């Protein structure tokens, strides 16, 4: 199942890319924190564990940054017990000098979750799309209220 969201942010592309990738837990409504397995800055191939707000106290979900092409593309893959998730963020400059952020997400369910999500596909897709839109609006608000990164 695939869903998309996009938003225009009145900031430069590099600033938006950096904030999106470096402050993920600040604007995301579902990730409480991320632990990278290596100490180096996040880059393509970096492995991480993401901890979901809805599953507090539980083990995290492992993932990898599958694409890191600053300031154009950032994507990751998460492999959970009941699902695999791919999320890609595409960044492009608009004719007004703002940045268009487009999020494309794809989930492939496994086991009993596959049957449940299949049965509730339309509801799940709408809920996931609404959450992506809410997160992107939060990203926009956080970036635009700053005069520059680091303020």
């Amino acid at each position: 199942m695939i869903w998309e969201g996009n938003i225009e942010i009145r900031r430069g592309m590099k600033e938006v890319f950096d904030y999106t990738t470096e402050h993920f837990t600040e604007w995301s409504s579902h990730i409480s924190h991320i632990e990278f397995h290596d100490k180096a800055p996040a880059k393509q191939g970096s492995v991480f564990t993401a901890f979901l707000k809805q599953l507090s106290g539980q083990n995290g979900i492992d993932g990898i940054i599958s694409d890191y092409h600053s300031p154009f593309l950032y994507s990751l893959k998460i492999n959970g017990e009941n699902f695999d998730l791919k999320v890609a963020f595409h960044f492009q400059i608009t004719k007004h000098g703002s940045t268009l952020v487009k999020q494309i997400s794809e989930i492939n369910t496994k086991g009993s979750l596959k049957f449940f999500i299949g049965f509730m596909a339309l509801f799940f897709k709408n809920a996931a799309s609404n959450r992506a839109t809410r997160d992107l609006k939060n990203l926009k608000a956080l970036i635009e209220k700053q005069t520059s990164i680091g303020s």
Side-chain angles (χ1 to χ4, degrees), residues 55-143:
L55 301 176
S56 62
Q58 299 218 1
N59 293 332
I61 300 171
D62 292 331
I64 187 169
I65 297 175
S66 50
D67 291 294
Y68 189 97
H69 302 286
S70 177
F72 304 102
L73 173 65
Y74 178 77
S75 63
L76 50 92
K77 295 178 184 176
I78 295 176
N79 300 309
E81 184 178 323
N82 294 311
F83 64 90
D84 293 331
L85 176 66
K86 297 177 191 175
V87 181
F89 296 92
H90 299 267
F91 303 83
Q92 68 183 80
I93 202 77
T94 68
K95 64 182 178 182
H96 307 292
S98 295
T99 301
L100 179 66
V101 180
K102 182 175 184 180
Q103 177 184 343
I104 303 171
S105 303
E106 178 180 2
I107 191 168
N108 293 304
T109 53
K110 305 173 188 175
S112 59
L113 189 61
K114 187 175 193 112
F115 173 75
F116 177 74
I117 296 298
F119 182 70
M120 302 287 292
L122 184 58
F123 173 77
F124 181 83
K125 186 173 183 175
N126 285 339
S129 181
N130 288 341
R131 175 175 276 181
T133 299
R134 185 173 60 244
D135 283 352
L136 290 172
K137 286 180 179 178
N138 193 31
L139 174 65
K140 174 185 175 78
L142 288 168
I143 293 175

